[in-house]
């Protein structure tokens, strides 16, 4: 292709203003995902789930008289590839309902701002708030932790002065969660014992010894599924039988195949803005059934629900933008920011109008259960801790 | 006090896992002068084979098959890629192993997908409790196996004809050939041994307290690098000592990170490297590595 | 063909794609006895030995024509280890001891290519240490730290450990003190007497011609002269080029050259 | 009959004529360079942003690879720490050119220098840091140095995450744009710049800036290699003792090689930052160091052209493969219910296979192939771990083993 | 042979130099003086300590005791590259060349005589170009002098043994040394080549007026060109003097030359010498 082919300029057609990625027949969305690197399992679920939505909506005639299509680029969690892929497809997409990898999102955030492309990252740190073009779907990690601590306080009968361990990844995910946990701890009068780890750490025996030595009554973990399994599994037999709470990225159904499965069922809770795949909610059940029908080999992990949900929201945004006769990048962002009460049926209603705030403050508490679809069931319905509203979000400062 | 004891013991246990991995590097390094970056994928292959077979064959048989499979694959790598290039320099081979690693890892991670595989090892979630000090059974087994294998390897390396052939060939291929050393075979055996070791190491890498084998398990291999170096590449005691030291340092810095927070959080990953740098400044060929002496 | 004999016919050797180092070289070494090869630097002596021992390929060289037969079988194309197993052992040019192995290990390495490795090894070992007592003293020293001459002794000793039937020697006297040269000559004579054939490449022509029954002179890759040593030693060319005009008892005054040689001016930079 | 000595001497070059004389096979000479540079000069007028971006990465990597090649190829010092120096250059530039101020809850510091000055200073500073490593870089060799430098990557990563006021922590920092006077290398000032009807934005402007620097880097490195320092470095690699006896101070030259290579890395890092527009710690990991090693080996050790070709291979091939992988047969599109090899995986397979094949058929690297010498490697006998009189035709080698 | 001693060639003196390797006394209080502009041979049996002596002189080994002086300079504690800077050049017994062509190796020899640093070379300043050209010419001159002109641009890896030895010598000459140490310069050469090389050495001394220290087992050559000879045995100096004196010395004959000529079987008939060899290291332990 030669230079100047990209239609970066907004155009007018059929009474609807259109922009990059929008033709008379198709609206193309972009996905910068990881299908060959460390987050490939998550990437695969999300890509599948989003494709599922696109197929459904196209079967119904599409949006704004146009079919939806997704241009998927696999960056394998390589920042350089991701940036190149972004440069390649940005001129031909109306938005990104999926970008995986915190490093990728952070590397792209300035470009996204400049190009004003609505983007839903599959990461939930509050530091990504405050940007009109970036939307975190659901709660942020810190809000999840504030809600989760409230739950733990009852489950572990925390008293003032008790200690709670927090094992967290270095980086946005862990640090944002830690901020929330510290805030909640302050409210509860408990003390947080920090244990920072790296994504490549799989042996947590030293951390467990340290936490036991400190006499923690409960543990928060903001890490990956294998770390959670190790912590709960070894902790349970090494004299650290306390409730453990993690965020959605800290659990994956496959860890229920490990030797730690029993301990996980007994001790682990997952806090999440999305309900469990095994939740008794009609839309979720339908999603689980449709997904299994289309991808018999697929895993029903939380990526399915969050990916589908994100895509569905994007679809609603496009519908709203169509109604406003503006499918340009700016038009889509504007349409998105007017959604105050978005209810996809796959979680709690969300409000996207205030860029400084999370779209919702409500989280579910989920519990591992080997038998359930996606190995998770709902332990407590979505709720919100009033104190969370007092919490000062990092990006809002 | 039990905290310290537990951290120290588990640090050693972790070190013994590193030692097993490091041994795999050392064997190939000695035979071919190559840093085998494909070792990570061999680990993954070994673990994957055990995981897929243990349900049908039982653990022991599955492990034996896995040892055979990884040895065969490593041997194949040697025959197809390394041997033909016997005349070229080692760095070419080193980078070539990266290519091999990419191929193998891509295939294996594609197969593993999102699974966290259990290897069906006999130790399961068993834990020893010595007066409040907990160590996983699998880790104790690992210490024993590591000591045995490392001892055996270095003894073989020193005293057997194969070991001598390997050292001679590594030093001067032509002179070795003139002594009747079958260069191809000696090197082939070394690669097979390293492959077999990878399968054994994978078992302990994936065993309790780890959650199991997943697509990223192989990446730990690189953590064993400083272990191999720290002790010095050419002595059995050095290999063990270095590995244990690395395990211990990372365990101690992780376990006491709240007391070390002024150095920046999570020193656990950096500490082994800092220790290694200090050791190398003091002794440029590792703790027990023999001093480099040359004459003209 | 006599058992244990080496027969080289019309051998052509090239290095890389274009360097022709040997052209139509023919030579034979009887099953027992010493044959010497003389020649200037670059004549192709080492190349000849490499071709026999099968190590050309390690130098990017290859046999482009002709044949090498040993004990009735063709050697060309076989790998060096197989050739060693057939009883042909080479002491390479420039010592090439395993520098990081001890002296004892170097000697042990000599037995790596032997078929039956036990009983006679011991005897060979004792004999080598007997020949070169210094090696016994330095058993545990890294070979790379030995003096040049000591390394040369080790290289020869190592080859003897292999109990060869045909020994290829590339300048065994290199770097050896006169007394030691005499002793090496004795050794060669002795092993030849015990039925080992020896192909000797040697710059010390006096010794070579003394030891060998037959000698060849290589020149720029071709056999220039061949014949009984005694006859060769009488030819003018050999006398002048290899024996230094007269059979040189060491220290004879140098012949005065007539051709004026270039002089090097002082550097005035 | 002339004297045998001189006759033998004369016969040797005759025998080696083909190896010495620049024959028609060696077409990869100055002519080729001119053609390549010419193509690079007009490229921005024809290709899309993706290609410009990819090409920019390759060019920046080429500078880094040239530097690593001086260290590992010429001096034989294995370094796995190149990513650290790339990071230092990148962050150094960002900090020096950046302004102090609050971003979110964080306070970021910066020196606020003019960008060009910041770039120069960043390069110099990276050299200084390389120099600070000289107690290790001067003393250690082979694998030991390799792993010691590996430590730099991890320690560097730790610092990048923890020195948040300088580095922006995990989130990284935006990169101040390069500019001289009124011309910035962004889409902005002067606005809407067009050359021959083609919009001349950030990538196009960066392209020429980076291209000039690549040429400068290649030229200086070539001069170094062919000059006195290059010979001294090669001598240190081949035999430390011989080098010392020739008057070369080995430790000093080893450290110097480290410093020079760090400076190239610093420049490459700063340029990569400019191309990315944002620096993040995760990019500068061990994988990056290994990529650079792969570049110089695949390209051909010891040669500047090799480093450039290798950099292009290693940075561009995966991108190109990913871009076109979906067109391959048997590849299953993402999101389709069939199970099979996805395009990303297919690209990985091809990349891995490409590395293996290149090295199998051109062990001396791609330049060897270009010059019609697929053999490459050591021309001399023996091969590895040998020092004496066993010498090669190619210029470089890394000493991985600890043997002299 | 004309040509006087160059004015700036200093005297080289070893005084009571002792070197020990893990219990082995390689040099035991060895001393000798190389008068300016002479050829001084060091001979002795294998393992006597000759190369060790060279290694001490060139700074590769450090003497445990004793001193080495070059004119006013004390070399004893200097690192090799500093000693090279003072005008002392050497060859190695085991050839040690670096990769590349003969020219590359010779230009390495010019290292101490040239100045171009990293920055200047990278920028290819005119003075760098000039310096390079000038020194290359001289290197070629030296190559031609040693009959290496024809292989000047050939890779050293392709050269046969004897020729590589000459490249080494040329490289040492390229340092324009004031003292030249040659370790077995004619090993691996035939009689004719030896004569040539001997002549070259004599000519170097004659035309450049520098001192040459020579280790060589070719007694003929030593007798022919050496002005003075020092004989080592087991690290000790057992004799010194003119070639003729040394050759008649019974101790030298016993330890080194053997009874007969070098082609004979002298060694076989003289077990006494062997016993001496094997005992001495015991003594020194
Ligand atoms: N690896 C090689 N590649 C190319 N040419 C080579 C190689 N080795 C040797 N040659 C060439 O082959 C010819 C014969 O070399 P060879 O080493 O056999 O000589 P030689 O007779 O042993 O000399 P010397 O007495 O110096 O050892 C020489 O011209 C040499 O340059
Ligand atoms: N670095 C070292 N470590 C241990 N022993 C050494 C070392 N260098 C030399 N030697 C020993 O010191 C003695 C003297 O060695 P040197 O090389 O000086 O002998 P030489 O007189 O040059 O003999 P040759 O004529 O055989 O070369 C030898 O026995 C040798 O083994
Ligand atoms: Mg030869
Ligand atoms: Mg010597």
């Amino acid at each position: 292709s030669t230079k100047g082919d990209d239609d970066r300029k907004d155009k007018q057609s059929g009474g609807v203003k259109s922009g990059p990625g929008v033709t008379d027949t198709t609206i193309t969305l972009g996905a910068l995902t990881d299908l060959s690197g460390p987050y490939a399992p998550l990437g695969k679920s999300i890509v599948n789930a989003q494709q599922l939505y696109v197929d459904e909506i196209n079967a119904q005639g599409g949006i704004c008289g146009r079919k939806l299509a997704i241009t998927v680029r696999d960056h394998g969690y390589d920042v350089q590839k991701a940036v190149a892929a972004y440069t390649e497809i940005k001129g031909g997409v109306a938005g990104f309902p999926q970008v995986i990898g915190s490093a990728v999102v952070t590397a792209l955030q300035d470009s996204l701002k400049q190009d004003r492309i609505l983007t839903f990252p599959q990461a939930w740190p509050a530091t990504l708030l405050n940007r009109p073009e970036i939307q975190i779907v659901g709660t942020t990690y810190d809000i999840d932790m504030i809600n989760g601590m409230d739950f733990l306080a009852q489950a572990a009968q925390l008293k003032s002065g008790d200690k709670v361990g927090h094992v967290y990844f270095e980086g946005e995910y862990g640090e944002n969660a830690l901020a929330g946990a510290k805030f909640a701890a302050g409210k509860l009068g408990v003390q947080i014992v920090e244990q920072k780890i790296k994504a490549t750490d799989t042996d947590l025996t030293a951390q467990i010894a340290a936490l036991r030595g400190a006499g923690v009554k409960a543990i928060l973990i903001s890490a990956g599924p294998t770390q959670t399994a190790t912590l709960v599994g070894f902790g349970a037999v090494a004299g650290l039988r306390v409730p453990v709470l993690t965020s959605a990225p800290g659990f994956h159904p496959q860890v229920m195949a490990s030797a730690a499965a029993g301990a996980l069922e007994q001790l682990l809770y997952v806090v999440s803005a999305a309900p469990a795949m095994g939740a008794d909610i009609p839309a979720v059940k339908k999603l689980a059934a449709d997904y299994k029908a289309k991808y018999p080999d697929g895993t029903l992990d939380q990526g399915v629900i969050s990916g589908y949900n994100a895509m569905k929201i994007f679809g609603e945004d496009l519908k709203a933008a169509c109604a406003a006769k503006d499918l340009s990048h700016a038009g889509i962002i504007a349409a998105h920011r007017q959604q105050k009460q978005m209810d996809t049926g796959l979680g709690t209603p969300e409000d996207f109008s205030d860029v400084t705030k999370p779209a919702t403050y409500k989280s579910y508490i989920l519990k591992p259960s080997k038998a359930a679809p996606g190995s998770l069931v709902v332990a407590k319905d979505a709720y919100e801790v009033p104190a969370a509203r007092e919490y000062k979000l990092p990006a809002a400062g | 006090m039990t905290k310290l004891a537990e951290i120290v013991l588990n640090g050693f246990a972790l070190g013994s896992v590193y030692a097993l991995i490091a041994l795999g590097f050392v064997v190939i390094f000695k035979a071919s002068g190559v840093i085998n970056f494909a070792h990570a994928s061999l680990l993954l292959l070994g673990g994957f084979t055990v995981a897929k077979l243990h349900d049908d064959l039982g653990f022991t048989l599955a492990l034996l098959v896995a040892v055979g499979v990884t040895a065969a694959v490593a041997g194949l790598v040697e025959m197809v890629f390394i041997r033909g290039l016997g005349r070229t320099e080692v760095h070419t081979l080193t980078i070539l192993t990266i290519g091999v690693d990419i191929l193998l890892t891509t295939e294996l991670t594609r197969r593993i997908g999102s699974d966290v595989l259990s290897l069906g090892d006999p130790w399961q979630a068993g834990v020893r409790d010595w007066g409040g000090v907990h160590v996983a059974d699998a880790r104790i087994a690992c210490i024993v196996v590591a000591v045995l294998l490392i001892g055996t390897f270095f003894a073989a390396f020193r005293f057997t004809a194969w070991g001598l052939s390997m050292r001679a060939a590594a030093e001067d291929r032509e002179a070795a050939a003139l002594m009747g050393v079958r260069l191809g075979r000696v090197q082939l055996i070394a690669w097979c041994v390293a492959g077999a070791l990878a399968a054994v190491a994978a078992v302990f890498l994936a065993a309790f307290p780890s959650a199991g084998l997943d697509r990223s398990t192989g990446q730990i291999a690189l953590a064993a690098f400083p272990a191999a170096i720290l002790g010095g590449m050419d002595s059995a005691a050095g290999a063990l000592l270095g590995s244990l030291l690395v395990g211990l340092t990372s365990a101690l810095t992780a376990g006491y990170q709240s007391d070390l927070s002024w150095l920046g959080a999570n020193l656990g990953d950096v500490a082994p490297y800092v220790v290694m740098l200090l050791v190398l400044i003091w002794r440029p060929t590792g703790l027990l590595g023999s001093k480099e002496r040359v004459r003209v | 063909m006599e058992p244990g004999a080496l027969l080289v016919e019309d051998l052509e050797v090239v290095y890389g794609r274009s360097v022709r180092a040997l052209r139509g070289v023919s030579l034979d070494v009887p099953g027992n006895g010493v044959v010497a090869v003389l020649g200037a630097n670059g004549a192709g002596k080492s190349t000849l030995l490499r071709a026999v021992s099968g190590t050309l390929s390690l130098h990017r060289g290859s046999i482009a024509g002709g044949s090498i037969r040993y004990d009735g079988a063709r050697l060309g194309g076989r790998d060096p280890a197989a050739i060693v197993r057939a009883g042909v052992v080479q002491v390479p040019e420039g010592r090439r001891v395993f520098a990081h192995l001890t002296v004892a290990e170097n000697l042990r390495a000599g037995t790596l290519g032997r078929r039956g490795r036990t009983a006679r090894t011991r005897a060979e070992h004792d004999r080598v240490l007997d020949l070169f007592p210094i090696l016994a003293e330095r058993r545990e020293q890294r070979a790379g730290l030995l003096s040049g001459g000591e390394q040369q002794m080790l290289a020869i000793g190592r080859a003897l450990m292999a109990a060869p039937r045909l020994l290829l020697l590339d300048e065994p006297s290199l770097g050896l003190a006169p007394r030691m040269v005499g002793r090496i000559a004795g050794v060669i004579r002795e092993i030849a007497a015990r039925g080992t054939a020896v192909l000797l490449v040697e710059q010390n022509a006096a010794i070579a011609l003394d030891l060998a029954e037959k000698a060849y002179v290589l020149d720029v890759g071709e056999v220039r002269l061949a014949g009984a040593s005694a006859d060769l030693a009488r030819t003018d060319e050999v006398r002048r080029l290899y024996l230094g005009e007269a059979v040189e008892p060491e220290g004879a005054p140098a012949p005065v050259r007539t051709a004026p040689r270039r002089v090097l001016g002082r550097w005035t930079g | 009959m002339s004297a045998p000595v001189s006759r033998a001497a004369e016969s040797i070059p005759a025998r080696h004529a083909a190896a010495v004389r620049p024959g028609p096979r060696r077409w990869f000479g100055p002519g080729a360079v001119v053609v390549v540079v010419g193509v690079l000069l007009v490229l921005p007028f024809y290709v899309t942003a993706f290609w410009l971006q990819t090409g920019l990465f390759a060019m920046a990597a080429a500078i880094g690879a040239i530097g690593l090649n001086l260290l590992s190829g010429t001096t034989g010092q294995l370094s796995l720490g190149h990513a650290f120096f790339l990071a230092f250059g990148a962050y150094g530039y960002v900090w020096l050119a950046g302004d102090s101020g609050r971003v979110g809850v964080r306070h970021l510091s910066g020196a606020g220098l003019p960008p060009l000055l910041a770039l120069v200073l960043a390069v110099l500073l990276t050299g200084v840091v390389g120099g600070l490593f000289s107690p290790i870089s001067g003393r250690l060799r082979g694998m030991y140095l390799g792993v010691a430098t590996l430590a730099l990557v991890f320690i560097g990563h730790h610092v990048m995450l923890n020195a948040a006021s300088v580095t922006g922590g995990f989130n990284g920092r935006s990169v101040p744009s390069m500019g001289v006077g009124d011309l910035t290398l962004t889409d902005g000032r002067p606005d809407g710049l067009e050359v021959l009807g083609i919009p001349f934005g950030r990538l196009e402007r960066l392209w020429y800036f980076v291209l000039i620097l690549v040429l400068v880097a290649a030229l200086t490195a070539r001069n170094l290699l062919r000059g006195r320092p290059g010979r001294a470095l090669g001598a240190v690699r081949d035999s430390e003792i011989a080098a010392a006896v020739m008057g070369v101070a080995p430790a000093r030259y080893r450290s110097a090689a480290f410093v020079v290579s760090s400076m190239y890395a610093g420049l490459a890092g700063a340029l990569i930052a400019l191309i990315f527009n944002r620096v993040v710690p995760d990019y500068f990991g061990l994988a990056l160091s290994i990529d650079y090693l792969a570049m110089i080996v695949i390209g051909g050790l010891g040669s500047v052209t090799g480093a450039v070709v290798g950099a292009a291979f290693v940075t561009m091939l995966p991108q190109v493969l990913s871009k076109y992988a979906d067109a391959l047969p048997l590849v299953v599109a993402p999101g389709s219910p069939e199970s099979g090899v996805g395009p990303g995986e297919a690209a990985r397979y091809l990349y891995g296979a490409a590395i293996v094949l290149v090295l199998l058929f051109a062990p001396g690297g791609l330049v060897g192939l270009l010059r019609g010498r697929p053999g490459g490697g050591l021309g001399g006998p023996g091969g590895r771990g040998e020092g004496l009189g066993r010498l090669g035709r190619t210029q470089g080698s890394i000493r991985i083993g600890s043997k002299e | 042979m004309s040509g006087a001693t160059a004015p700036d060639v200093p005297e080289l003196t070893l005084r009571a130099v002792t070197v020990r390797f893990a219990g082995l006394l390689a040099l035991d209080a060895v001393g000798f003086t190389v008068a300016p502009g002479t050829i001084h041979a060091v001979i002795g049996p294998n393992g006597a300590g000759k190369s060790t002596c060279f290694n001490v002189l060139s700074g590769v080994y450090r003497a445990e005791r004793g001193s080495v002086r070059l004119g006013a300079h004390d070399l004893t504690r200097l690192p090799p590259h500093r000693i090279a800077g003072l005008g002392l050049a050497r060859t190695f017994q085991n050839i040690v060349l670096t990769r590349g062509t003969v020219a590359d190796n010779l230009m390495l020899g010019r290292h101490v005589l040239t100045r171009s640093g990293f920055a200047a070379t990278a920028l290819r300043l005119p003075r760098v170009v000039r310096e390079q050209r000038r020194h290359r010419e001289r290197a070629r001159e030296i190559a031609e002098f040693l009959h290496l002109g024809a292989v000047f641009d050939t890779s050293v890896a392709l050269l046969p043994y004897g020729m590589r030895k000459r490249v080494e010598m040329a490289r040492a000459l390229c340092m324009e040394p004031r003292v030249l140490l040659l370790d077995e310069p004619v090993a691996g050469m035939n009689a004719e080549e030896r004569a040539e090389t001997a002549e070259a050495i004599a000519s170097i001394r004659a035309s450049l007026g520098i001192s040459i220290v020579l280790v060589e087992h070719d007694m003929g050559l030593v007798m022919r060109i050496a002005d003075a000879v020092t004989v080592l045995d087991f690290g000790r100096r057992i004799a010194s003097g003119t070639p003729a004196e040394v050759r008649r010395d019974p101790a030298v004959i016993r330890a080194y030359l053997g009874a007969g000529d070098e082609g004979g079987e002298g060694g076989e008939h003289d077990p006494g010498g062997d016993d001496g060899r094997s005992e001495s290291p015991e003594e020194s332990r």
Side-chain angles (χ1 to χ4, degrees), chain D residues 165-176:
Chain D
S165 76
V166 174
T167 63
F170 182 83
N171 253 325
R173 283 182 81 156
S174 342
V175 178

Side-chain angles (χ1 to χ4, degrees), chain A residues 130-173:
Chain A
N130 235 347
R131 294 162 194 273
E133 68 285 352
I134 295 181
Q135 178 62 58
I136 296 173
V137 178
T139 46
T140 49
Y141 294 124
D142 40 9
I143 301 302
D144 271 347
M145 280 296 150
I146 296 171
N147 291 335
M149 276 287 271
D150 188 72
F151 175 82
L152 270 190
Q154 289 154 33
Q157 290 158 9
L158 294 182
K159 295 184 296 294
S160 175
D162 278 350
K163 286 182 177 163
V164 172
H166 192 171
V167 178
Y168 62 99
F169 273 171
E170 69 183 6
E172 288 301 79
Y173 166 31

Side-chain angles (χ1 to χ4, degrees), chain D residues 34-55:
Chain D
V34 168
V35 171
V36 169
V37 171
V39 169
L40 290 178
L41 277 174
V42 299
L43 221 51
F45 295 98
Y46 295 99
V47 301
T48 55
F50 168 77
W51 288 105
L52 280 186
Q53 180 102 10
T54 307

Side-chain angles (χ1 to χ4, degrees), chain D residues 35-134:
Chain D
V35 171
V36 169
V37 171
V39 169
L40 290 178
L41 277 174
V42 299
L43 221 51
F45 295 98
Y46 295 99
V47 301
T48 55
F50 168 77
W51 288 105
L52 280 186
Q53 180 102 10
T54 307
L56 276 169
F57 277 130
M59 289 200 289
I63 296 178
I66 288 171
L68 184 63
N69 190 34
L70 277 174
L71 180 67
S72 296
T74 307
T75 321
Q77 293 284 79
L78 174 67
S79 170
L80 289 172
H82 218 52
F84 170 80
F85 294 104
L86 288 160
F88 198 92
Y91 277 98
Y93 168 73
V94 172
W95 185 82
L96 287 165
D99 292 316
S100 296
R102 293 188 76 76
V103 174
V105 283
R106 284 209 171 100
H107 176 83
L108 287 180
S109 62
L113 297 176
L116 208 56
L117 178 64
L119 182 72
V120 173
L121 282 183
V123 171
L124 293 178
L125 267 182
T126 316
V128 169
V129 172
L132 291 181
F133 201 59
S134 59

Side-chain angles (χ1 to χ4, degrees), chain C residues 41-42 95 137-138 147 171 174-175 177 179 183 189 203 241-242 251 254 257 261-262 264-267, chain E residues 4 24 46 94 110 138 145 147 162 184 188 190 192-193 199 207-208 217 224 254 256 258 265 274 278:
Chain C
N41 287 155
R95 309 183 180 114
E137 283 167 32
R138 301 290 161 80
S147 85
E171 294 197 39
L174 186 84
R179 270 185 49 131
R183 184 187 291 233
R189 193 164 285 137
Q203 295 290 14
L241 296 183
Y242 302 101
R257 278 180 63 94
R261 74 164 290 131
R262 281 172 256 210
L264 186 63
R266 281 197 191 136
W267 166 249
Chain E
L24 170 77
N46 294 122
N94 294 307
R110 307 299 291 179
R138 173 65 172 175
F145 172 74
H147 292 299
E184 301 195 3
N190 67 25
E192 170 77 7
E193 292 157 346
E199 206 182 325
S207 50
L208 302 182
H217 289 300
R224 213 146 60 217
R254 183 159 13 93
Y256 182 54
E265 303 159 359
D274 296 332
S278 50

Side-chain angles (χ1 to χ4, degrees), chain A residues 354-388:
Chain A
D354 186 350
V355 295
T356 63
K357 295 240 155 53
T360 172
Y361 276 84
K362 285 201 170 97
S363 315
Y364 290 88
I365 300 291
L366 317 177
K367 227 186 138 13
S369 161
K370 221 169 170 169
S375 295
L376 279 178
V377 292
V378 176
K380 183 173 175 188
D381 233 342
Y383 68 101
E384 171 177 346
V385 179

Side-chain angles (χ1 to χ4, degrees), chain D residues 263-323:
Chain D
M263 285 169 61
Y264 279 96
L267 178 59
L271 294 180
I272 286 171
L274 281 168
I275 299 165
F276 269 135
N277 235 349
R278 187 167 190 100
V279 282
V280 286
D282 273 13
Y283 176 68
F284 301 99
L286 174 59
L288 190 68
S289 284
I290 296 179
D291 275 352
Y292 275 84
L293 268 188
M295 287 175 202
I296 61 172
V297 170
I298 288 174
L301 273 184
S303 113
V304 174
T305 321
V308 176
V309 173
F313 183 96
V314 171
T315 44
M316 295 182 67
L317 193 65
Q319 310 260 8
V320 173
L321 288 175
S322 315
K323 187 172 158 76

